[in-house]
Amino acid sequence: MTLTLTPEQARRIAVRAQLLDARRPVSLVETVDQLTLLQIDPTKAIAPSADLVAWSRLGDAYDHSDLTFALEQERSLVEFSSFIFPMDEIETVLALSPGRIHPTAVEWMEANKRFRTQVLDRLRADGPLVAGEIEDTAEVPWASTGWTNDKNVLRMIELLNRMGEVAIAGRRGKLRTWDLAERVYPSDLRLPSPEDALRVETVRRLASLGIARPGRKDSSGGEVLGAGDAGVPCTVAGVDGEWRVDPEALAALEDGFAPRAALLSPFDRLVYDRDRALDLFGFEYVLEMYKPAAKRRWGYFALPILYGERLAGKLDAKVDHKKAVMNVFAVHEDFGWTAEIGDAVEAEIEALAGWLGVEITHA
């Protein structure tokens, strides 16, 4: 017989797997290892997404300098493409990345063999460098209808990064610095086969989600969704279709569940798969920063609000970093909140403002 979970059990599994119950992790590296990755997004309506994700788990114990130290000094974390991974998992990432490059990009690299060699030679001689310090000698320009059109150096470096030949060494201000991969990654790398790497990635992804739909789906942001064939098949009462659940998360249901409030980045893995959030939590959410103001329901960069195992609403707020003020425009309740939920969410908003070093104003 197929295992059937109650909706409450399924949600608690998902919340605990994402380190969002009251038992907080103790370090940034531990957090990223469990989440498997942090997505990088530069929007600072509140704070950069990677910082918000880390703070929502670690609380005031986290500071942005912790991330910089882990990436550039300790090398326990590594920036790759538009994500941050544990350095211990870079072998899995590198084993899978080349196979996920679009054939058009591979053909462009082949048409620019001399340019590719010159970029690598320049980094070998003078790296780490920002992209603007490398000469553009492309034989065939990169053609795009987007912002990357004719940005040949940056495009070549990013593709070499995904091929495992170039690595992000750090940041100079907001700009990434690039160097040869051998100077950034551990010297004893042993890449698994793509098949073995895919199995590891799939198992780790399900462990980080707790419960997910089977199969595999590539999101528009580059993150892979779905549990593949990992874990244990199950159903969730009242929700159509099959799910896969992580066996360790299933066993941990007996340990009890300690709720808390949390404010989440729009790119947080608990809500990143919008279909999963709707199916499991009944939570409808769209990032509205790309919508005209008049068509927004929840706000420019509304933060999903978690309480216990329920996604309970959205916080519409924006930080004016120059004035050191967080303007709170609205707190949207997805259902009627109890006084306990309201007090916990208010305390979390105050904690966020305190962590950012700003005062709260209500518009």
Side-chain angles (χ1 to χ4, degrees), residues 192-227:
S193 68
E195 294 77 17
D196 288 344
L198 183 60
R199 280 191 288 272
V200 170
E201 180 194 62
T202 303
V203 169
R204 279 180 52 76
R205 183 167 61 251
L206 179 57
S208 79
L209 296 171
I211 182 170
R213 293 291 192 184
R216 180 185 186 279
K217 181 173 68 173
D218 295 322
S219 74
S220 58
E223 188 170 336
V224 177
L225 309 176

Side-chain angles (χ1 to χ4, degrees), residues 18 21 36 41 45 47 58 95 137 216 304:
Q18 280 288 292
D21 61 345
T36 75
D41 184 87
L58 295 162
T137 60
R216 180 185 186 279

Side-chain angles (χ1 to χ4, degrees), residues 166-314:
V166 165
I168 300 170
R171 293 261 172 172
R172 194 184 302 169
K174 294 182 179 180
L175 298 177
R176 293 168 292 182
T177 60
W178 305 88
D179 207 343
L180 298 181
E182 63 203 50
R183 295 175 180 164
V184 177
Y185 302 149
S187 59
D188 58 348
L189 286 183
R190 297 291 183 271
L191 300 194
S193 68
E195 294 77 17
D196 288 344
L198 183 60
R199 280 191 288 272
V200 170
E201 180 194 62
T202 303
V203 169
R204 279 180 52 76
R205 183 167 61 251
L206 179 57
S208 79
L209 296 171
I211 182 170
R213 293 291 192 184
R216 180 185 186 279
K217 181 173 68 173
D218 295 322
S219 74
S220 58
E223 188 170 336
V224 177
L225 309 176
D229 59 356
V232 177
C234 70
T235 59
V236 177
V239 182
D240 292 338
E242 182 182 325
W243 296 82
R244 309 287 294 194
V245 62
D246 175 52
E248 292 188 14
L250 191 62
L253 274 176
E254 300 178 1
D255 296 341
F257 182 82
R260 69 175 175 93
L263 304 173
L264 308 180
S265 162
F267 302 99
D268 196 289
R269 296 199 92 191
L270 189 70
V271 297
Y272 186 81
D273 184 340
R274 309 298 193 218
D275 292 336
R276 175 177 175 268
L278 186 60
D279 288 343
L280 278 188
F281 295 88
F283 186 70
E284 183 184 358
Y285 181 78
V286 175
L287 179 57
E288 297 180 312
M289 60 190 291
Y290 304 110
K291 286 186 175 184
K295 294 186 176 182
R296 293 174 189 152
R297 297 169 60 188
W298 304 301
Y300 175 81
F301 198 73
L303 305 187
I305 299 171
L306 175 74
Y307 181 78
E309 77 280 354
R310 301 286 302 275
L311 284 164
K314 295 94 177 171

Side-chain angles (χ1 to χ4, degrees), residues 42-238:
T43 307
K44 288 185 65 176
I46 304 291
S49 181
D51 287 329
L52 275 175
V53 171
W55 174 80
S56 65
R57 274 73 178 177
L58 295 162
D60 289 345
Y62 173 73
D63 185 86
H64 177 75
S65 62
D66 299 336
L67 182 57
T68 302
F69 178 80
L71 288 168
E72 299 184 18
Q73 303 297 321
E74 191 177 62
R75 299 286 195 200
S76 53
L77 301 177
V78 61
E79 185 175 344
F80 182 92
S81 188
S82 56
F83 300 96
I84 294 167
F85 295 98
M87 185 65 87
D88 286 347
E89 295 301 318
I90 195 61
E91 292 175 336
T92 298
V93 174
L94 293 174
L96 291 171
S97 180
R100 293 173 175 173
I101 298 175
H102 194 279
T104 301
V106 175
E107 293 172 4
W108 181 77
M109 293 181 75
E110 283 295 309
N112 281 286
K113 288 182 178 180
R114 186 179 64 179
F115 177 39
R116 174 178 180 167
T117 299
Q118 289 172 339
V119 169
L120 291 171
D121 287 346
R122 180 68 199 284
L123 289 175
R124 185 174 293 107
D126 301 311
L129 299 170
V130 299
E133 295 172 326
I134 299 175
E135 297 77 12
D136 183 353
T137 60
E139 297 98 324
V140 180
W142 175 262
S144 169
T145 57
W147 70 271
T148 60
N149 185 56
D150 206 29
K151 296 195 179 295
N152 303 313
V153 173
L154 182 60
R155 193 65 183 135
M156 178 61 75
I157 290 178
E158 289 178 336
L159 288 169
L160 288 170
N161 177 224
R162 294 177 63 187
M163 293 293 292
E165 296 180 59
V166 165
I168 300 170
R171 293 261 172 172
R172 194 184 302 169
K174 294 182 179 180
L175 298 177
R176 293 168 292 182
T177 60
W178 305 88
D179 207 343
L180 298 181
E182 63 203 50
R183 295 175 180 164
V184 177
Y185 302 149
S187 59
D188 58 348
L189 286 183
R190 297 291 183 271
L191 300 194
S193 68
E195 294 77 17
D196 288 344
L198 183 60
R199 280 191 288 272
V200 170
E201 180 194 62
T202 303
V203 169
R204 279 180 52 76
R205 183 167 61 251
L206 179 57
S208 79
L209 296 171
I211 182 170
R213 293 291 192 184
R216 180 185 186 279
K217 181 173 68 173
D218 295 322
S219 74
S220 58
E223 188 170 336
V224 177
L225 309 176
D229 59 356
V232 177
C234 70
T235 59
V236 177

